[in-house]
Each structure stands twice: as structure tokens, then as C-alpha cells.
Amino acid sequence: MIRLNMRKQLVIFDLDGTLLDTVVDLANATNQALECCGYPVHPVDAYYQFVGNGINKLFARALPAEVSDDWNVQRIRELFVPYYNQHNADCSRPYPGIVELLRELQEGGVKLAVASNKYQEATLKLVRHFFPDISFVSIYGQRENVPIKPAPDIVYDILRDMGVAKEDVLYVGDSGVDMQTARNAGVDSVGVTWGFRSEEELIEYGAM
């Protein structure tokens, strides 16, 4: 688990694979949508490589290649969202030590934020459900007309909210997408190895 002698004013956390282990609920919701449409389902382990770039990309990866088009992605999304909204906390849990880490940082005066490629409604619900006593200064998921990570826009929005300089920010995530996001935004980053992607991927994308 991270232990930091913090000299940063703000730590931005990715959500899925960093703060929360959400893969089972994501897999279950996607599989039920696939099954409803008559498409093959996948084992949970397959979803570690499907997630990370927003739910539309998740569906594109989960669909059979010959039908992985925009129309079918939207069809799966229409089935996925209402189901996931009801079931996104069934199996999801904070990783061991995460709640304690967030409390330690908060008590030390460090500001905390969340930057996720999960759609905004689910991002807010999960953060508020699992971390009710943590005062995040910003909680941003995928929003309409805002490019998803690794585009830096979500980080820029948080910096504007706080009026914090880039050199005073640390970004924490579990994937190459997260490391790219931090690099594109010009902020320092730390890669965590307990999440959805491998240590090799994190190193490839410049994790510390």
C-alpha cells in the first residue's frame, strides 16, 4: 500500500482498479447485456483487459468482432446502464488499506479528487457509497462533450476547481491509460500494482 511523505497539495485518484475493485460488477452487467442480445459472454478475467477506456470501448471489446460497431455498442449500453446502476456495488469493494490511506492523507491536509473514465452517475454513486467520510474536492467521471482519459481534460478541470499548480499534484492510477493521462496533463504520477493491469504495462507507460 502507498505510504507517502506528502509534499503535494492534491492527489488525484483513478477509481476502477485503483480505489475500488469493480471488475466483477462490470463483467456481470456487460454479460447480462450481451446475453440479452444473443451474444457470447466472457469470464470475469477477460474484463481486466476490456476496461479502462470508458464503457463504450468496454462494449466494443466485449462484442464479437464482426458486430462491434457503433449501433451494437449503443444497444449494449442501453441494457448495461440501468442494470449497472442497480448492481454496481454488489461485489465491488475498496482495495485493502485504501480507506485508511485516504483518511491519512485527508487528516494530513492533502486535498483528494477522483478522475475516472466510468460514466459520471456511477462514479458519484460509488465514491459516495464506499467513502462517505472522505471529502473529495472533485469527483469526475465520463461526462458529455469532455474527452476521456488519456486526454488531460479531466485533470485540467480538477486543477481549475482547486486553483492548484501542476507541480503540486500527484496522479495515482493502475493502468497505462492513467500514466498517459498524467503525462499529458504535465503532473507527477504513481502506478499501483494491485489493480486491473500489469506492472509491465505501468512501467512501459512511465510509472514511478
Side-chain angles (χ1 to χ4, degrees):
M1 184 52 60
I2 299 174
R3 284 294 177 262
L4 299 171
N5 179 16
M6 286 303 301
R7 297 179 180 175
K8 300 290 188 180
Q9 295 180 25
L10 172 66
V11 180
I12 302 172
F13 288 93
D14 172 53
L15 184 60
D16 300 76
T18 302
L19 295 179
L20 297 177
D21 184 354
T22 57
V23 72
V24 173
D25 289 328
L26 287 166
N28 289 344
T30 306
N31 280 341
Q32 70 83 31
L34 290 170
E35 189 171 27
C36 285
C37 294
Y39 297 128
V41 300
H42 303 278
V44 170
D45 285 351
Y47 283 88
Y48 287 107
Q49 294 302 314
F50 292 169
V51 299
N53 297 88
I55 59 172
N56 284 2
K57 181 63 72 172
L58 162 62
F59 306 147
R61 291 166 175 160
L63 281 161
E66 64 273 16
V67 295
S68 185
D69 53 34
D70 290 344
W71 188 86
N72 273 308
V73 164
Q74 290 305 315
R75 185 181 175 203
I76 296 297
R77 184 179 180 122
E78 288 172 4
L79 294 166
F80 172 96
V81 169
Y83 182 94
Y84 189 68
N85 284 346
Q86 292 296 316
H87 296 280
N88 57 22
D90 287 359
C91 299
S92 297
R93 297 290 183 273
Y95 286 100
I98 283 293
V99 172
E100 293 80 6
L101 171 64
L102 295 174
R103 287 173 179 161
E104 180 180 324
L105 291 171
Q106 182 170 266
E107 290 167 3
V110 178
K111 303 297 184 185
L112 305 173
V114 172
S116 177
N117 274 346
K118 186 187 295 291
Y119 62 97
Q120 181 72 7
E121 181 182 1
T123 298
L124 286 170
K125 176 186 173 183
L126 287 169
V127 171
R128 290 169 177 170
H129 177 77
F130 285 110
F131 310 111
D133 62 342
I134 303 300
S135 299
F136 290 98
V137 295
S138 296
I139 303 170
Y140 285 141
Q142 182 181 1
R143 295 162 291 152
E144 189 174 358
N145 298 321
V146 178
I148 63 172
K149 301 184 295 184
D153 303 61
I154 192 169
V155 175
Y156 293 159
D157 286 345
I158 293 170
L159 298 186
R160 280 194 293 269
D161 287 349
M162 293 304 301
V164 176
K166 293 180 180 180
E167 58 267 24
D168 295 321
V169 176
L170 182 68
Y171 183 101
V172 181
D174 72 301
S175 71
V177 168
D178 291 311
M179 300 304 100
Q180 288 179 292
T181 302
R183 184 169 65 248
N184 291 341
V187 301
D188 290 337
S189 63
V190 168
V192 304
T193 56
W194 58 75
F196 294 169
R197 298 301 176 89
S198 67
E199 183 176 358
E200 290 75 18
E201 177 178 315
L202 290 166
I203 292 171
E204 178 184 351
Y205 286 94
M208 295 193 301

